[in-house]
Amino acid sequence: MIKVNKISKAFNGKMVLKNVDLQINEGEVVAIIGPSGTGKSTLLRCINFLEHPDQGSIQVDQLMVNAAHTSAKEILALRRKLSFVFQNYSLFANLTALQNIAEPLITVWQQSKQQAYASASAILKDIGLADKVDHYPSQLSGGQQQRVGIGRAMATQSKAILFDEPTSALDPEWVAEVLALIKQLAKQQQTMVIVTHEMSFAREVADRIVFMSDGEIIEQGTPEQLFTKAKDPRTQQFISRIAKHTGD
Ligand code: ADP
Ligand code: MG
């Protein structure tokens, strides 16, 4: 469903992504792991052209966007097929939980007010925040804010949701509820690509784990393969360092 073809990206002359190929199938949950600074966020951002790749193309279903010749219209079409969940929830401070989910449906998706508010309130119920409709972000915990951020991504019914370290900005006490919501989506066969440093979560929720290092995909496979039978020494080293760190 998503095909990343030979994507490259450099910042200030330094190659951050080197000819990356990646395919995501419908209904699949793919976790991207790897040391920090190796291009995981850049790859995710290139998938919906939040970062313009220097080379390569992204295909989502029938839509093919080539970095060498893009139009604003194509990029918009691509972004409509994918939604993105950021580390810092990026909610509008002056809008309630309900409005944060409904407003993009009205402004970006041209839904009627009535329709948008009906779907937003259904989503809030789904994510266990039905009692918070009229709360502003400042009145919600970090975990609740991030759940609203995920609810906003769910509301657009996009083909896939891309998550960039969705729990790394949270106080530890709020991590579990956010991971639980992502698991709930995985059960519903929502296609997702998740950059995460939560290894036991990745292991549990992902159909496939992709290990990146130094701008390249080094190895990928099922959680079982990657965590217990990694072939590349760089993967082995990363996994064993993490195991030592967390006692897994
Ligand atoms: P990761 O998510 O794996 O930690 P990133 O994709 O954020 O890695 O970053 C990869 C490299 O690219 C890092 O060296 C980072 O400093 C650099 N980088 C990322 N974004 C930018 C940017 N907008 N401008 C310059 N350098 C960047
Ligand atoms: Mg990152």
Side-chain angles (χ1 to χ4, degrees), residues 22-212:
L22 179 64
Q23 191 170 328
I24 317 285
N25 303 311
E26 182 133 32
E28 200 178 19
V29 178
V30 173
I32 302 178
I33 63 171
S36 79
T38 54
K40 303 182 300 296
S41 295
T42 305
L43 173 60
L44 209 62
R45 296 167 65 83
C46 281
I47 293 178
N48 71 346
F49 277 70
L50 280 176
E51 220 42 275
H52 197 117
D54 297 333
Q55 279 177 52
S57 65
I58 303 291
Q59 187 175 354
V60 181
D61 293 335
Q62 307 311 316
L63 176 69
M64 162 83 101
V65 186
N66 195 310
H69 41 82
T70 41
S71 65
K73 203 174 144 200
E74 274 180 337
I75 292 179
L76 190 66
L78 180 71
R79 292 198 185 142
R80 281 172 171 251
K81 288 178 180 286
L82 306 169
S83 45
F84 206 99
V85 174
F86 298 90
Q87 253 175 48
N88 298 315
Y89 358 117
S90 60
L91 300 180
F92 299 106
N94 60 330
L95 300 182
T96 63
L98 186 68
Q99 291 166 335
N100 260 289
I101 297 174
E103 283 303 314
L105 299 178
I106 299 166
T107 55
V108 184
W109 291 86
Q110 274 99 44
Q111 290 186 12
S112 71
K113 261 193 158 170
Q114 196 184 9
Q115 192 185 2
Y117 278 85
S119 14
S121 92
I123 295 269
L124 279 175
K125 209 175 280 170
D126 254 14
I127 63 179
L129 294 174
D131 56 333
K132 302 286 189 256
V133 278
D134 294 327
H135 286 53
Y136 289 90
S138 62
Q139 300 169 308
L140 299 171
S141 73
Q144 290 167 340
Q145 290 182 56
Q146 185 59 306
R147 281 153 68 198
V148 173
I150 294 171
R152 193 170 48 184
M154 291 161 64
T156 59
Q157 300 192 313
S158 47
K159 289 280 174 180
I161 306 181
L162 313 176
F163 295 81
D164 191 5
E165 305 254 16
T167 58
S168 65
L170 292 174
D171 289 339
E173 62 200 296
W174 309 126
V175 169
E177 64 186 72
V178 171
L179 296 182
L181 176 56
I182 299 174
K183 271 183 220 164
Q184 179 185 322
L185 290 175
K187 277 208 196 97
Q188 297 162 10
Q189 322 274 286
Q190 166 71 56
T191 310
M192 297 187 277
V193 184
I194 311 170
V195 172
T196 185
H197 61 268
E198 298 278 348
M199 291 304 139
S200 52
F201 167 72
R203 199 168 176 165
E204 189 185 343
V205 81
D207 299 305
R208 180 153 50 104
I209 310 251
V210 170
F211 172 70
M212 277 184 78

Side-chain angles (χ1 to χ4, degrees), residues 31-34 196-211 219-231 235-243 246 248:
I32 302 178
I33 63 171
T196 185
H197 61 268
E198 298 278 348
M199 291 304 139
S200 52
F201 167 72
R203 199 168 176 165
E204 189 185 343
V205 81
D207 299 305
R208 180 153 50 104
I209 310 251
V210 170
F211 172 70
E219 189 165 357
Q220 50 182 313
T222 62
E224 164 78 8
Q225 281 166 346
L226 225 85
F227 282 102
T228 63
K229 306 182 195 87
K231 295 197 184 85
T235 321
Q236 291 166 355
Q237 197 190 15
F238 180 77
I239 302 276
S240 73
R241 214 178 317 139
I242 292 231
T246 59
D248 274 2

